[in-house]
């Protein structure tokens, strides 16, 4: 694994600041994503519970509906199912989709509405009408249940997907991105330290050299005073007009 | 008198056959056995020991309720066709009248199908076999109900019912249920007139049964139309006039608009008062439909107590149909494992 990688930057203070900024950004991002993953997980669990309940209810509702079909067949002598099937033109119950937003995830929700009147109002007029009304009610309820279940199941699948993706991102940030940045920062810091040390060493060396040079000059002066060339009391006043190099003041 | 002396000349064999079929109708003990079955296979086994014999023998192992339904109907149709084939006039006309009811259902189905541009080839197998007539196959040529009427229905025995009540313009617009109810009304009144014409015991027995049928339709149409868009006048047009409610009861029914009011109207007729009192609208109690079924079964059963009349043929067909419905009900309860109401079939014999 390329886990010992770091970003390829030139180690400078600027790079360090930039990296620190990135680290902060990664940490904030990590927190936010974790919150999102938690919110989604809560919603996921509640949907799961609702799905289980609705499915149980569905079993009962379908059972009642099939039984009421049997009842209707019993009291309506004759095959009313054929007339019903043949006279179907369009769907009576239709679905509109709405969008729900959960922590940034768009979940569709289905809402049913009745389109058009009940074309089978008069079926079973001669006999069996009451059973037929009950049958219609039972199956309408079954459909409502089915629609609810459809909403819940699509939400379930979408959420499942999104939760996986979000968790993957959270883990990626936590285990890959942040360590990488941290390593980069450490590297920069270590490089900067080393550069400073080098600088320090260089300065010390220069100082030493300067001290040696000064010591040498002092010796020369003492010799010259001894030789009577110089009185030793005169100080050389600097001439502004001379382009002499001014020694640096090293306050070390 | 004339009935008794000369009846057996032409119709003795048919009557004997019919009574034979009637004795094969399931008894309470058979129903008891059927109710105790756990699976449809058990049901099949128990039916083998009855008059039904091996009618399900050729069907593959996972038996479904639809298959049982088809076979029961086939058997019924076979028996009826046999009776029709060996009958002489006027029994054959009488039996034809019985089939008109099924023809009405088939025609309504075909009209619905053509209204919605369904392929007629799909519709034909779904028609009731007892209600088939020669022109049934010719329905393919018609595209609209008006054409259907002109080309096909005009030649059938049902043409009169159409003329009496609806013009061909109405065929397109009226709801099919109203068409069906109107046709049925005309049919009942026609049948009633025919039976009255036959006279004798047949008239007595059949007119009573048909009067009950007419009243029952009036009540049911009223009750079932309460929450729908059917107006009182339209409803009034659908009431058959050959029952005992005619004319006062029908006028009263026309003005009702809830179940209690219908009950009050029924209270003036002792038989219907008793039926309504035994019934209730909540689940668990017998509905008024169940009580009507029971009364119909009672009337049909009583038809067999008299001899030398055609009523037994009608009664036999209706009882056999009720038995088919009972068996299917029990089969559905078993198949759906919903045994709570398995005893809600209508017992035919006691």
């Amino acid at each position: 694994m390329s886990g010992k990688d770091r970003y390829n930057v030139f180690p400078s203070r600027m790079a360090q600041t930039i990296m620190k900024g990135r680290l902060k950004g990664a940490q904030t991002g990590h927190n936010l994503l974790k919150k999102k993953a938690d919110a989604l997980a809560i919603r996921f669990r509640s949907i799961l519970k609702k799905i289980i309940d609705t499915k149980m209810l569905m079993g009962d509702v379908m059972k009642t509906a099939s039984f009421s079909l049997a009842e209707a067949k019993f009291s309506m002598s004759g095959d009313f199912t054929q007339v019903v099937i043949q006279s179907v033109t369009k769907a009576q119950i239709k679905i509109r989709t709405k969008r729900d937003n959960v922590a940034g995830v768009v979940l569709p929700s289905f809402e049913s509405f009745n389109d058009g009147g009940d074309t089978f109002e008069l079926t079973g007029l001669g006999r069996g009408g009451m059973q037929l009304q009950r049958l219609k009610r039972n199956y309408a309820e079954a459909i409502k249940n089915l629609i609810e279940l459809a909403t819940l199941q699509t939400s379930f699948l979408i959420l499942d997907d999104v939760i996986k993706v979000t968790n993957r991102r959270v883990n990626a940030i936590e285990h890959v991105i942040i360590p990488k940045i941290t390593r980069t920062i450490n590297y920069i810091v270590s490089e900067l330290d080393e550069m400073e040390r080098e600088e320090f060493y260089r300065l010390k060396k220069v100082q030493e050299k300067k001290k040696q040079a000064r010591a040498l000059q002092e010796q020369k002066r003492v010799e010259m005073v001894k030789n009577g060339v110089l009185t030793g009391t005169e100080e050389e006043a600097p001439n502004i007009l001379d382009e002499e190099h001014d020694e640096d003041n090293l306050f070390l | 008198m004339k009935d008794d002396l000369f009846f057996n000349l032409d119709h003795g064999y048919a009557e004997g056959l019919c009574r034979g079929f009637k004795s094969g109708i399931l008894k309470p003990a058979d129903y008891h056995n059927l109710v105790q079955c756990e699976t449809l296979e058990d049901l099949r086994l128990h039916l083998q020991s009855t008059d039904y014999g091996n009618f399900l023998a050729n069907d593959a192992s996972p038996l479904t309720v639809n298959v049982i339904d088809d076979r029961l109907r086939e058997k019924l149709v076979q028996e009826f066709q046999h009776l029709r084939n060996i009958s002489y006039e006027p029994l054959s006309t009488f039996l034809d009248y019985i089939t008109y009811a099924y023809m009405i259902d088939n025609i309504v189905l075909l009209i619905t199908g053509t209204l919605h541009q369904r392929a007629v080839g799909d519709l034909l197998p779904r028609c009731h076999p007892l209600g088939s007539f020669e022109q049934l196959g010719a329905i393919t040529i018609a595209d609209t109900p008006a054409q259907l009427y002109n080309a096909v229905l005009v030649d059938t025995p049902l043409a009169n019912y159409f003329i009496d009540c609806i013009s061909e313009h109405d065929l397109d617009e009226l709801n099919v249920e109203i068409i069906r109810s109107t046709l049925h009304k005309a049919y009942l009144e026609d049948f009633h007139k025919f039976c009255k014409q036959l006279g004798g015991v047949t008239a007595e027995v059949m007119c009573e049964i048909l009067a009950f049928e007419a009243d029952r339709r009036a009540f049911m149409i009223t009750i079932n139309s309460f929450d729908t868009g059917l107006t009182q006048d339209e409803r009034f047009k659908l009431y058959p006039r050959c029952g005992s409610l005619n004319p006062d009861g029908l006028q009263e029914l026309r003005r009702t608009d809830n179940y209690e009011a219908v009950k009050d109207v029924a209270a003036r007729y002792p038989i219907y008062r008793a039926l309504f009192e035994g019934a209730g609208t909540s689940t668990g109690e017998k509905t008024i439909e169940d009580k009507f079924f029971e009364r119909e079964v009672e009337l049909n059963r009583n038809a067999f107590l008299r001899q030398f009349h055609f009523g037994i043929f009608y009664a036999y067909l209706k009882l056999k149909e009720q038995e088919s419905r009972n068996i299917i009900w029990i089969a559905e309860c078993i198949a759906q494992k919903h045994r709570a109401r398995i005893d809600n079939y209508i017992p035919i014999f006691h």
Side-chain angles (χ1 to χ4, degrees):
Chain A
M1 186 175 115
S2 55
K4 300 303 161 203
D5 256 358
R6 51 173 169 73
Y7 290 107
N8 257 341
V9 281
F10 182 76
S12 63
R13 295 236 182 255
M14 175 77 141
Q16 185 186 26
T17 327
I18 292 180
M19 277 297 139
K20 280 208 178 129
R22 270 169 84 159
L23 179 66
K24 195 103 195 353
Q27 277 167 340
T28 323
H30 176 261
N31 286 341
L32 286 176
L33 271 181
K34 209 143 179 39
K35 283 207 187 83
K36 174 174 175 177
D38 287 340
L40 290 176
I42 292 179
R43 181 70 180 230
F44 188 71
R45 268 194 292 273
S46 82
I47 287 188
L48 184 61
K49 185 167 184 318
K50 261 194 265 184
I51 284 187
I52 293 180
D53 289 336
T54 312
K55 278 203 174 159
M56 306 274 260
L57 190 63
M58 197 56 208
D60 289 331
V61 167
M62 282 304 260
K63 204 161 175 231
T64 324
S66 318
F67 195 65
S68 59
L69 181 63
E71 279 179 359
K73 275 201 212 153
F74 180 67
S75 39
M76 288 188 72
S77 45
D79 202 5
F80 69 98
T81 52
Q82 289 312 318
V83 179
V84 169
I85 292 177
Q86 299 307 334
S87 51
V88 163
T89 47
K90 61 177 179 58
Q92 224 183 314
I93 297 189
K94 299 207 175 132
I95 298 187
R96 269 192 283 255
T97 45
K98 276 194 314 210
R99 295 180 193 285
D100 247 353
N101 194 315
V102 173
V105 181
V106 177
L107 299 175
S109 84
F110 300 128
E111 173 193 282
S112 68
F113 65 99
N114 253 335
D115 183 20
D118 187 1
T119 37
F120 297 107
E121 252 187 344
L122 295 177
T123 314
L125 195 58
R127 45 166 79 179
M130 291 190 289
Q131 273 80 350
L132 210 79
Q133 300 300 336
R134 211 180 323 155
L135 175 70
K136 276 193 275 192
R137 270 200 306 270
N138 282 339
Y139 269 104
E141 210 177 295
I143 290 188
K144 274 204 193 57
N145 247 335
L146 272 175
I147 294 177
E148 238 182 74
L149 203 59
T151 315
L152 289 174
Q153 280 192 300
T154 36
S155 309
F156 185 83
L157 290 173
I158 294 181
L159 267 185
D160 192 39
D161 228 23
V162 173
I163 285 186
K164 283 206 184 79
V165 166
T166 313
N167 278 337
R168 239 178 270 142
R169 286 205 193 117
V170 168
N171 289 338
I173 294 187
E174 199 177 307
H175 297 288
V176 175
I177 309 252
I178 290 190
K180 202 166 171 186
I181 298 185
T182 324
R183 275 194 289 274
T184 317
I185 293 184
N186 288 342
Y187 161 74
I188 296 181
V189 164
S190 71
E191 285 296 306
L192 285 177
D193 272 344
E194 196 172 317
M195 284 200 294
E196 238 185 81
R197 258 178 270 134
E198 283 175 11
E199 194 68 24
F200 190 71
Y201 180 73
R202 203 181 316 133
L203 281 173
K204 274 274 181 288
K205 213 38 178 213
V206 162
Q207 246 195 354
E208 225 183 272
K209 276 272 175 339
K210 278 226 171 93
K211 228 194 320 202
Q212 280 178 358
R214 229 182 301 147
L216 209 63
Q217 244 197 355
E218 202 48 48
Q219 236 185 10
K220 260 206 215 139
R221 230 168 65 100
V222 164
E223 268 187 32
M224 280 170 77
V225 167
K226 251 203 217 157
N227 291 346
V229 177
L230 292 170
T231 48
T233 50
E234 45 181 38
E235 285 287 331
E236 293 222 354
N239 192 348
I240 320 176
L241 295 176
D242 273 340
E243 295 210 349
E244 259 188 43
H245 177 63
D246 263 336
E247 284 290 332
D248 292 328
N249 277 341
L250 286 174
F251 300 106
L252 279 173
Chain B
M1 239 326 122
K2 178 168 178 292
D3 279 347
D4 301 358
L5 288 176
F6 298 111
F7 188 84
N8 277 343
L9 280 176
D10 289 333
H11 315 299
Y13 179 56
E15 178 170 349
L17 208 54
C18 185
R19 285 188 185 269
F21 287 148
K22 173 240 182 193
S23 69
I25 291 184
L26 298 182
K27 310 281 183 304
D30 298 316
Y31 280 117
H32 196 67
N33 280 340
L34 290 179
V35 166
Q36 311 227 322
C37 290
E38 293 290 324
T39 70
L40 292 182
E41 294 302 325
D42 286 346
L43 195 83
R44 181 188 355 212
L45 210 61
H46 278 116
L47 283 177
Q48 274 179 354
S49 60
T50 66
D51 222 31
Y52 280 104
N54 286 333
F55 79 120
L56 285 174
N58 294 335
D59 292 303
S61 188
L63 204 57
T64 65
V65 180
N66 282 343
V67 166
I68 300 183
D69 193 16
D70 288 338
R71 295 280 169 270
L72 286 172
R73 180 178 305 186
E74 258 173 43
K75 187 152 198 297
L76 177 63
V77 168
Q78 246 177 5
E79 290 174 355
F80 187 79
Q81 303 270 7
H82 183 67
L83 282 174
R84 174 72 184 77
N85 288 339
I86 59 165
S87 62
Y88 288 93
E89 288 296 337
L91 179 59
S92 25
T93 318
F94 184 85
L95 292 176
D96 283 338
Y97 260 96
I98 300 182
T99 63
Y100 293 166
Y102 300 99
M103 279 191 212
I104 291 178
D105 284 336
N106 288 348
I107 288 180
V108 167
L109 178 63
L110 291 172
I111 290 180
T112 320
T114 45
L115 259 183
H116 294 102
Q117 279 90 36
R118 302 276 194 251
V120 178
D122 288 338
L123 297 175
L124 282 180
R126 305 189 197 279
C127 292
H128 197 286
L130 279 183
S132 61
F133 48 96
E134 299 100 47
Q135 294 87 348
L136 203 61
I139 304 269
T140 44
I141 61 172
D143 290 321
T144 71
Q147 263 186 357
L148 193 68
Y149 175 71
N150 273 334
V152 181
L153 298 175
V154 134
D155 294 324
T156 64
L158 304 183
N160 298 332
Y161 305 153
F162 283 90
I163 294 179
D164 285 344
C165 41
I166 11 181
S167 64
E168 65 181 68
H169 168 70
D170 291 332
L171 271 180
D172 272 325
E173 292 183 349
L174 283 184
N175 190 306
V176 281
E177 286 301 316
I178 300 190
I179 295 179
R180 187 208 300 271
S181 301
T182 323
L183 289 176
H184 211 92
K185 161 187 184 269
Y187 158 70
L188 275 179
E189 289 173 358
D190 195 24
F191 199 3
H192 193 241
K193 210 166 60 187
F194 176 73
C195 291
K196 239 191 164 60
Q197 216 181 339
L198 285 176
V201 183
T202 306
E204 282 172 36
V205 168
M206 282 309 296
C207 289
E208 191 184 353
I209 294 182
L210 290 177
F212 170 72
E213 200 50 45
D215 293 334
R216 172 198 200 171
R217 274 195 88 78
F219 278 124
M220 291 320 300
I221 289 178
T222 316
I223 295 179
N224 289 336
S225 63
F226 279 149
D227 286 322
T228 69
L230 201 61
T231 68
Q232 290 185 338
D233 291 324
E234 282 177 359
R235 199 164 77 196
F236 185 65
K237 278 198 290 200
L238 299 177
Y239 296 153
R241 302 274 185 272
C242 56
S244 58
L245 285 179
N246 192 35
D248 319 317
L250 293 182
Q251 289 292 349
E252 303 251 325
L253 270 185
R254 168 200 211 162
R255 286 194 286 264
T256 60
D257 53 4
N258 58 47
Y259 184 75
E260 290 306 319
V262 173
K263 221 170 156 176
D264 291 333
V265 171
R268 301 201 318 184
Y269 302 86
I271 301 178
Y272 301 128
R273 183 171 69 210
L275 289 180
F276 271 89
E277 266 168 20
T281 43
S282 50
T283 52
E285 289 184 307
K286 285 202 165 155
T287 65
I288 186 65
E289 295 236 17
D290 290 330
K291 301 296 277 186
F292 277 140
F293 272 124
E294 283 175 6
R295 172 91 182 129
E296 180 190 4
V297 164
E298 192 185 324
L299 284 176
N300 285 331
R301 205 170 49 225
N302 291 343
F304 282 97
L305 295 175
R306 307 183 68 168
Q307 220 183 347
F308 306 131
H309 64 106
F310 298 153
I312 54 169
F313 298 96
Y314 179 88
Y316 159 71
L317 186 70
K318 293 295 167 192
L319 285 179
K320 207 71 178 146
E321 264 190 354
Q322 181 63 47
E323 177 181 283
S324 301
R325 278 202 296 274
N326 285 347
I327 295 179
I328 296 298
W329 171 257
I330 295 177
E332 289 261 11
C333 285
I334 292 176
Q336 294 186 13
K337 304 206 194 314
H338 205 221
R339 307 182 76 97
R341 313 248 316 266
I342 199 171
D343 292 322
N344 275 14
Y345 60 90
I346 312 282
I348 299 180
F349 293 123
H350 294 289

